[in-house]
């Protein structure tokens, strides 16, 4: 392999410091910002996304200070198809997606990696907080960041052996405070820049408003149901609800009610008390395994069903492209469309998309 790398530069402090560290290691670097969408096309103002002109200029400024070439790659067509449209389709079908995983799968470590090879660059470098090592069995391993509060390994479980072998995460052993200190010491314009929001193309966290505005569709109201199928109210369109949700229901009850399931086939939303939200058996498909080529028999792991959750003990088995996890303790508000990610200590075993769950 050569020592040439493409640094994915979003304009934020993390990717800027990643570029600096690679330059310090003696790599021949170029900086690249992925233009994923035009803000005006999705109805958000320039300061609210990673595709703003300000972010491009911040990335360009850092690249200039590091004396590395800088490019902007227009991947908007691929982003619309593989991230935005998948996001919308998921909500329309009663699922709750994680578009950051799709962006990593289809853009950062696929489209950008292909562009890197075209430019004779052997590595893609990002500012993710995670680590890559090589195991005794010769497989590349994805590990948690040393800073557990910033660890992003959950959204990276989709990386293949090929992609891991050509990816570098320079921030995996640093804390956020250390990263900002490096940026300040080097006079980067974004040293104190706030972290970007979770979903770059959704303003103010209103997923449903974004979907309605983007598609121009009307998502009609219909019935809220209790667990016995009785009508107990009217919802405002299925795209506005996700499993475990409590706010915005507008239903009076003796105890708080939560969304138990979203049923787009008949345009209903089922509510329950909190006790009805727990599941012990979780199935996921479209799996990607990293530390092992296949799960043989039963495997004890720690797993989590949401990005912000802590891992919990489970026994997992594999059947074809499906993994079944039986948790020692029931998990709250398991949601189809989210990812089941499995860990062996700080090593990511793999993960997949949740398709069903049982008590």
């Amino acid at each position: 392999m050569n020592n040439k790398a493409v640094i994915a530069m979003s304009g934020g402090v993390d990717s800027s410091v990643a570029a600096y560290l690679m330059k310090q290691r003696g790599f021949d670097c170029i900086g690249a910002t992925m233009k994923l969408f035009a803000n005006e096309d999705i109805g958000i103002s320039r300061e609210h996304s990673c595709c703003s002109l300000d972010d491009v200029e911040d990335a360009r400024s850092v690249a200039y200070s590091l004396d590395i070439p800088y490019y902007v790659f227009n991947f908007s067509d691929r982003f619309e198809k593989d991230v935005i449209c998948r996001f919308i389709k998921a909500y329309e079908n009663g699922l709750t997606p994680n578009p950051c995983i799709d962006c990593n799968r289809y853009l950062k470590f696929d489209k950008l990696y292909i562009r890197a090879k075209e430019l004779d660059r052997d590595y893609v470098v990002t500012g993710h907080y995670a680590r890559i090592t090589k195991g005794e069995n010769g497989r590349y391993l994805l590990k948690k960041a040393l800073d557990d509060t910033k660890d992003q390994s959950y959204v990276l479980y989709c990386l293949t052996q090929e992609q891991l072998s050509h990816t570098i995460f320079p921030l995996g052993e640093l804390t956020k405070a250390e990263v900002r200190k490096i940026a300040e010491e080097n006079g980067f314009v974004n040293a104190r820049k706030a972290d970007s929001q979770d979903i770059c193309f959704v303003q103010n966290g209103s997923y449903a408003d974004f979907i309605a505005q983007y598609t121009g569709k009307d998502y009609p109201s219909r019935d809220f149901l209790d667990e016995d199928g009785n009508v107990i109210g009217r919802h405002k369109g299925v795209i506005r609800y996700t499993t475990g949700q409590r706010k915005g229901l507008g239903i009076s009850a003796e105890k708080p009610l939560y969304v138990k399931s979203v049923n787009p086939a008949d345009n209903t939303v089922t509510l329950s008390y909190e006790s009805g939200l727990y599941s012990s058996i979780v199935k996921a498909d479209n799996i990607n395994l990293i530390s092992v080529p296949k799960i043989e028999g039963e495997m004890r792991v720690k797993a989590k069903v949401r990005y912000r959750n802590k891992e919990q003990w489970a026994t997992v088995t594999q059947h074809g492209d499906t993994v079944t996890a039986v948790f020692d303790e029931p998990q709250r508000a398991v949601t189809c469309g989210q990812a089941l990610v499995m860990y062996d200590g700080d090593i990511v075993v793999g993960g997949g998309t949740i398709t069903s769950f049982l008590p």
Side-chain angles (χ1 to χ4, degrees), residues 14 77 143 195 209 236 263 334:
D14 293 330
D77 289 348
K143 293 186 175 183
D195 290 343
D209 288 348
K236 298 178 181 178
N263 318 302
V334 178

Side-chain angles (χ1 to χ4, degrees), residues 212 215-221:
T215 64
K217 294 181 182 179
D218 176 37
Y219 295 92
S221 64

Side-chain angles (χ1 to χ4, degrees), residues 13 17 177-188 191-192:
V13 64
V17 171
E178 290 171 329
V179 168
R180 290 201 184 278
K181 182 179 179 182
I182 293 171
E184 287 181 333
E185 289 173 346
N186 287 275
F188 292 168
R192 285 292 152 189

Side-chain angles (χ1 to χ4, degrees), residues 59-337:
R60 193 189 310 275
S61 171
V62 172
Y64 179 81
S65 71
L66 294 175
D67 193 27
I68 64 175
Y70 174 75
Y71 301 90
V72 177
F73 297 144
N74 187 348
F75 294 158
S76 57
D77 289 348
R78 183 74 184 270
F79 188 78
E80 180 180 38
K81 172 189 173 186
D82 288 325
V83 180
I84 294 180
C85 289
R86 289 173 66 91
F87 175 85
I88 292 170
K89 184 178 179 181
Y91 269 101
E92 289 179 336
N93 284 278
L95 310 176
T96 302
N98 189 321
C100 296
I101 292 174
D102 284 339
C103 188
N104 287 331
R105 178 184 283 123
Y106 298 114
L107 275 298
K108 292 186 180 74
F109 302 104
D110 183 9
K111 185 70 172 177
L112 184 60
Y113 174 48
I114 292 171
R115 184 64 57 88
K117 288 196 292 185
E118 292 171 350
L119 294 169
D120 191 31
R121 303 276 146 174
D122 216 35
Y123 295 98
V124 169
V125 179
T126 74
H128 284 101
Y129 287 84
R131 294 175 292 155
I132 299 171
T133 62
K134 201 167 186 179
E136 294 180 358
N137 61 359
R139 293 182 69 83
Y140 285 90
L141 303 177
L142 174 65
K143 293 186 175 183
K144 297 179 188 176
L146 291 187
D147 182 354
D148 191 54
T149 66
K150 296 299 295 182
D151 174 56
Q152 293 173 295
S153 59
Y154 177 89
V155 297
L156 297 166
Y157 81 83
C158 57
L159 293 182
T160 66
Q161 288 293 301
E162 168 73 11
Q163 291 164 338
L164 287 167
S165 70
H166 294 276
T167 299
I168 300 175
F169 298 134
L171 307 189
E173 299 186 359
L174 299 177
T175 65
K176 185 73 177 200
E178 290 171 329
V179 168
R180 290 201 184 278
K181 182 179 179 182
I182 293 171
E184 287 181 333
E185 289 173 346
N186 287 275
F188 292 168
V189 296
N190 52 15
R192 285 292 152 189
K193 189 173 184 177
D195 290 343
S196 59
Q197 62 182 30
D198 286 341
I199 299 179
C200 61
F201 56 87
V202 175
Q203 188 175 17
N204 299 326
S206 180
Y207 310 144
D209 288 348
F210 166 78
I211 293 170
Q213 182 270 329
Y214 192 86
T215 64
K217 294 181 182 179
D218 176 37
Y219 295 92
S221 64
R222 206 184 172 197
D223 297 329
F224 277 130
L225 306 177
D226 65 16
E227 291 185 275
D228 295 322
N230 301 311
V231 176
I232 56 174
R234 298 283 288 183
H235 67 67
K236 298 178 181 178
V238 292
I239 63 168
R240 298 186 180 278
Y241 305 94
T242 184
T243 303
Q245 179 178 332
R246 177 183 175 186
K247 293 182 179 180
L249 303 182
I251 300 289
S252 297
E254 58 183 19
K255 294 189 294 184
L257 289 170
Y258 300 83
V259 174
K260 181 178 178 65
S261 63
V262 179
N263 318 302
D266 60 5
N267 194 24
T268 61
V269 176
T270 300
L271 306 182
S272 74
Y273 298 126
E274 185 175 19
S275 59
L277 296 180
Y278 290 84
S279 306
S280 295
I281 302 173
V282 179
K283 291 192 176 184
D285 66 9
N286 193 26
I287 62 171
N288 180 62
L289 296 177
I290 296 176
S291 65
V292 294
K294 184 179 180 181
I295 296 174
E296 302 286 356
E298 294 184 344
M299 183 177 185
R300 289 289 286 171
V301 299
K302 279 194 169 183
K304 60 181 180 178
V305 295
R306 287 181 184 269
Y307 180 39
R308 300 297 180 187
N309 285 13
K310 289 187 176 181
E311 310 99 77
Q312 302 293 328
W313 281 108
T315 300
V316 295
T317 54
Q318 179 183 352
H319 301 281
D321 193 37
T322 299
V323 162
T324 300
V326 180
F327 283 89
D328 291 8
E329 300 291 336
Q331 301 299 294
R332 185 183 184 279
V334 178
T335 308
C336 291

